[in-house]
Amino acid sequence: MKKIIIIVLGVTLLVGLGIFATHLMSKKGKSDEQVAAFNFDIKDTASVDKIIITEPNGMEMTLVRSGKEWTDDKGQCVQPVQVFNILEALYNVRFKGYVPENAVKTVINRMTTIGTKVQYFQNGDWSKTWYIGGSTSDHHGTYMLVESAQAGKSDLPVIAEIKGLQGIIEPRFFADPRKWQCSGIFAYQMDEIAEVDVNFTERPDRSFEVRKIKQDYLVKFGGKYLTSLDTNMVYRYLLNFKRINFENPNYELTNKQLDSLKHSTPFCILKVRTTKGEKTQLRMFRRQSDSGEKEVDDFGDNSPYDINRFWCELPTGQIVKCQYFAFNPILMGHIYFNQDRYKTVR
């Protein structure tokens, strides 16, 4: 009798385990099949030639590959490191886990209201779209949906991550063109520059010009031409144009303030002409000091303005924030062409 009871219990246990395993495998198999069908990654990132990022507010940014370079849809330069961050995520993204059933509705609602949409194109054709819905509570995963040309759109969100990295995916994707804009202003080799004109409107004694005449140079400082010129100092000055960047786009001034700034008198106007005839003009404006107190600037004057940063109007009309530290090597001509250094004549 005992043997029969043990056998019955054993069979019952095996049947129960079988049913549970079958149910579990059936559910898991369906989920695995779903995850496999909706892969987030694209391993051949070299074939990705267009990316469209759309934020919840409708702001859209289009990135286009042209050869090895990336630009926006107007052909303007974009920061390559940020494109790399996207392609890295596209290559290394992977499934991390399922969204708990009791949280699915909340996650879907959140993705609908604050989600970011990212469309990927390969060799000119749409290939895949990500729907990014924010991070998990531990900030180690991101809620995502995926849609592909082969499998359609997934009906339930999952948690994704980037292989080998901790953190969330969402910060890599934004559509504000100011955040994408390249910060480079000048990137000239010395022999590409034909003329530089630096005009300090408030202090003409600090203004100067450098002109290339065939293989020689002519320098005018403080209204006087230098008759005895150290060419090495000219070379040292022109080498500073190899890399001049602005710090940030404008995130502070309103449209009214921008209009007022542009109608004011710049403290400096910088003009550069290349040997190919390209011309660039920058208009520079003082920035109000945050402290409100006077400080000694790089020229030794007590200034009520910010002595670290100023506003600059680019040739496009855009106002950007710049650092004196970056621009002083091309603005402070007295370092290279001080009148006391040379015998000068008018």
Side-chain angles (χ1 to χ4, degrees):
M1 187 68 179
K2 275 187 178 182
K3 189 177 291 188
I4 295 174
I5 292 174
I6 292 173
I7 292 173
V8 170
L9 289 174
V11 171
T12 303
L13 180 61
L14 289 173
V15 171
L17 288 173
I19 294 173
F20 175 76
T22 301
H23 174 74
L24 184 63
M25 291 302 294
S26 174
K27 186 176 181 179
K28 183 176 183 299
K30 182 179 179 181
S31 299
D32 288 347
E33 182 181 347
Q34 184 183 52
V35 171
F38 301 114
N39 291 322
F40 289 93
D41 65 319
I42 295 178
K43 294 304 184 186
D44 184 14
T45 56
S47 66
V48 176
D49 50 17
K50 185 165 74 170
I51 303 169
I52 302 176
I53 304 169
T54 307
E55 293 187 359
N57 59 9
M59 185 178 288
E60 184 176 285
M61 182 68 187
T62 299
L63 307 170
V64 181
R65 187 198 294 266
S66 178
K68 294 183 179 181
E69 303 294 328
W70 284 86
T71 67
D72 64 13
D73 55 348
K74 298 180 181 63
Q76 299 298 311
C77 172
V78 295
Q79 295 187 38
V81 65
Q82 295 180 166
V83 179
F84 172 81
N85 288 338
I86 288 179
L87 295 178
E88 180 190 43
L90 182 60
Y91 183 88
N92 288 310
V93 67
R94 67 181 182 182
F95 168 78
K96 178 180 175 67
Y98 301 103
V99 178
E101 289 187 17
N102 60 356
V104 169
K105 185 176 180 180
T106 301
V107 171
I108 292 177
N109 289 338
R110 186 178 179 186
M111 295 181 78
T112 303
T113 55
I114 65 169
T116 299
K117 178 182 177 182
V118 186
Q119 299 165 268
Y120 297 102
F121 295 77
Q122 291 179 271
N123 301 317
D125 296 322
W126 171 73
S127 173
K128 192 161 294 190
T129 298
W130 287 2
Y131 299 89
I132 306 172
S135 64
T136 57
S137 58
D138 62 3
H139 299 291
H140 289 165
T142 300
Y143 297 118
M144 293 177 63
L145 282 168
V146 63
E147 181 179 7
S148 68
Q150 296 78 19
K153 186 177 180 180
S154 55
D155 55 353
L156 292 175
V158 294
I159 301 171
E161 65 177 357
I162 299 176
K163 181 181 179 181
L165 295 175
Q166 287 192 351
I168 52 181
I169 299 172
E170 188 179 19
R172 300 178 184 229
F173 300 91
F174 44 84
D176 188 338
R178 294 173 299 181
K179 296 180 180 179
W180 282 99
Q181 181 183 2
C182 291
S183 61
I185 297 180
F186 295 123
Y188 292 136
Q189 298 297 322
M190 181 184 68
D191 57 4
E192 294 180 292
I193 301 174
E195 184 176 354
V196 179
D197 183 351
V198 179
N199 177 22
F200 286 98
T201 57
E202 302 165 349
R203 293 290 302 271
D205 59 304
R206 295 174 178 170
S207 301
F208 62 95
E209 300 174 25
V210 178
R211 278 188 285 166
K212 185 176 184 180
I213 302 176
K214 295 184 179 180
Q215 299 303 316
D216 296 321
Y217 289 94
L218 183 65
V219 174
K220 186 178 183 180
F221 184 88
K224 299 177 181 181
Y225 286 102
L226 305 184
T227 57
S228 179
L229 183 64
D230 184 347
T231 307
N232 287 327
M233 296 302 290
V234 178
Y235 293 162
R236 287 179 60 187
Y237 170 74
L238 294 176
L239 284 172
N240 293 317
F241 284 86
K242 191 172 183 179
R243 186 176 180 179
I244 298 292
N245 297 349
F246 64 82
E247 182 181 30
N248 288 314
N250 166 50
Y251 293 106
E252 300 174 20
L253 303 179
T254 64
N255 289 335
K256 184 177 181 180
Q257 290 172 322
L258 287 173
D259 186 64
S260 177
L261 182 74
K262 290 181 179 181
H263 282 85
S264 64
T265 302
F267 74 86
C268 181
I269 300 174
L270 169 64
K271 298 178 182 178
V272 178
R273 179 173 62 85
T274 70
T275 53
K276 294 181 179 179
E278 300 170 350
K279 296 180 180 180
T280 302
Q281 175 178 288
L282 305 179
R283 301 196 327 143
M284 305 175 191
F285 304 87
R286 302 290 188 188
R287 180 177 181 273
Q288 291 298 322
S289 172
D290 295 327
S291 66
E293 298 179 0
K294 289 187 177 182
E295 297 182 72
V296 179
D297 62 19
D298 290 315
F299 284 106
D301 297 332
N302 286 319
S303 173
Y305 300 102
D306 187 340
I307 64 171
N308 296 310
R309 293 170 176 81
F310 62 92
W311 295 113
C312 179
E313 181 182 8
L314 302 179
T316 60
Q318 180 185 5
I319 297 294
V320 296
K321 186 188 292 184
C322 300
Q323 293 186 22
Y324 286 108
F325 175 80
F327 276 77
N328 277 348
I330 63 174
L331 296 182
M332 302 182 74
H334 65 280
I335 296 176
Y336 308 92
F337 316 120
N338 192 319
Q339 295 181 85
D340 297 334
R341 188 191 303 272
Y342 304 102
K343 180 181 178 182
T344 62
V345 296
R346 289 189 181 276

